[in-house]
Amino acid sequence: MKLSDGTKKSYNREFEKILEKNADKPMSSTTKSAIRKKHNGMSATPRAADWMLQTASILWNYAKIKMDWPLRENPAQGVDKFGSQREFLAWPDWMLEALATAPEDVRIAGELIRGTGQRPAAAIKTPRNALNGDWIAVTDEKGDETFEICCPVRLRTLIENLEEGPMHVLAKSENAPRSYDSVEKSFRAWRATLLDLAKEHDDDANRYTLHGLRKRACVELAEANCSDAEIQAVTGQSAETVAYYRKQANRKAMSRTAQKRRFKE
């Protein structure tokens, strides 16, 4: 009860995922090997994997310590977390250009993330009525806040040209959006087809995630000489994150100026 509303919402999402697949199973049958297998199976999204592990541990401790359920020791304890991950890399030009050839769900998800600058899970759930003329309503899941930002023409055109029907831009059914997990799985399958293309650019496609498109949006805004406040107005990122990607953009811009001056181009 002492947690913020945003943190509660994050935990509840994990609780719902666990309930969806395990509500009819006895909690006491959960084994450490099963927890470890699930954790390892989520290695492609290490932060989500560690969050799942933490949530399972919290549930177990609450049942055993607060509710006095006759459970053995916490099976999530002793399972090593993936730990802090390196910062998500902004997509390079070659991968952004390849997005046009991606499966429709990946392509649309990519346009939503890049266009709004929001976290992938929130962008993927965008309802069609979020678009209101030049504006689009976005949700900052971490801050538990919904607000309107100016919608880029490219994204607005994509949404307006969708066939009428489902409530969401990426729809699972008439009233439900696609889940992040399903789109992320499709993304990884598409990313695996880019290995040769990546080698042509002396790169590794596996370094990039859907979240890297949010970072790409931040870099593009910085390269467009937007102020920190303007970038935050779009992406909702922290001042520290904006400063990090602005530094990347400024370094590229200054190096271009320096090299042109050096060779008098």
Side-chain angles (χ1 to χ4, degrees):
M1 298 303 295
K2 298 178 181 179
L3 299 175
S4 68
D5 289 341
T7 303
K8 289 178 184 177
K9 187 175 181 180
S10 296
Y11 277 124
N12 281 331
R13 281 198 298 270
E14 292 302 316
F15 295 156
E16 290 299 326
K17 290 179 184 177
I18 292 173
L19 282 172
E20 184 178 352
K21 295 185 177 180
N22 302 283
D24 60 343
K25 302 172 184 176
M27 190 168 173
S28 59
S29 67
T30 306
T31 64
K32 185 182 292 292
S33 60
I35 292 286
R36 183 180 289 110
K37 181 179 179 181
K38 175 65 175 178
H39 186 250
N40 290 337
M42 297 174 66
S43 61
T45 53
R47 295 188 185 190
D50 285 352
W51 187 242
M52 178 280 298
L53 189 66
Q54 180 179 335
T55 305
S57 182
I58 289 173
L59 283 173
W60 193 277
N61 286 340
Y62 185 84
K64 180 178 176 64
I65 299 171
K66 299 294 185 180
M67 303 295 292
D68 298 320
W69 286 15
L71 300 173
R72 58 182 181 281
E73 292 305 307
N74 192 331
Q77 289 183 347
V79 178
D80 293 332
K81 292 184 178 180
F82 291 111
S84 298
Q85 304 297 306
R86 66 184 180 184
E87 189 61 56
F88 292 113
L89 297 176
W91 280 29
D93 290 344
W94 69 262
M95 192 167 181
L96 195 62
E97 293 170 1
L99 184 62
T101 66
E104 184 179 48
D105 58 344
V106 176
R107 180 178 58 81
I108 293 177
E111 294 290 351
L112 286 168
I113 299 165
R114 183 190 179 197
T116 64
Q118 301 305 305
R119 291 178 177 83
I124 287 169
K125 296 178 182 177
T126 300
R128 296 174 65 156
N129 64 7
L131 182 66
N132 181 20
D134 293 339
W135 306 93
I136 186 168
V138 298
T139 300
D140 176 5
E141 291 185 323
K142 191 172 183 180
D144 194 25
E145 178 185 11
T146 298
F147 52 94
E148 284 191 331
I149 63 172
C150 184
C151 185
V153 174
R154 180 188 181 96
L155 179 58
R156 186 170 71 243
T157 301
L158 183 152
I159 296 175
E160 290 176 340
N161 288 339
L162 291 174
E163 294 184 5
E164 294 186 6
M167 290 177 56
H168 295 83
V169 177
L170 278 170
K172 176 181 179 182
S173 64
E174 191 70 21
N175 300 313
R178 288 282 299 275
S179 68
Y180 167 79
D181 290 341
S182 67
V183 176
E184 201 276 334
K185 182 178 180 180
S186 182
F187 163 75
R188 281 187 279 119
W190 171 70
R191 185 180 61 185
T193 69
L194 303 179
L195 300 183
D196 289 340
L197 178 60
K199 287 181 181 179
E200 293 177 13
H201 292 84
D202 195 24
D203 205 346
D204 179 5
N206 289 323
R207 300 197 305 152
Y208 304 104
T209 65
L210 281 175
H211 206 106
L213 274 171
R214 173 168 155 86
K215 304 306 181 183
R216 171 80 189 207
C218 187
V219 170
E220 288 176 341
L221 289 164
E223 289 179 340
N225 293 320
C226 298
S227 68
D228 287 5
E230 287 173 326
I231 296 173
Q232 286 183 282
V234 174
T235 67
Q237 292 165 307
S238 67
E240 293 77 13
T241 299
V242 170
Y244 175 81
Y245 287 100
R246 173 176 292 287
K247 183 178 180 180
Q248 284 190 355
N250 287 345
R251 180 183 291 122
K252 288 176 65 178
M254 286 189 290
S255 70
R256 181 185 295 114
T257 300
Q259 295 288 37
K260 286 185 176 181
R261 186 182 302 144
R262 173 189 181 194
F263 293 107
K264 296 181 175 56
E265 296 178 355

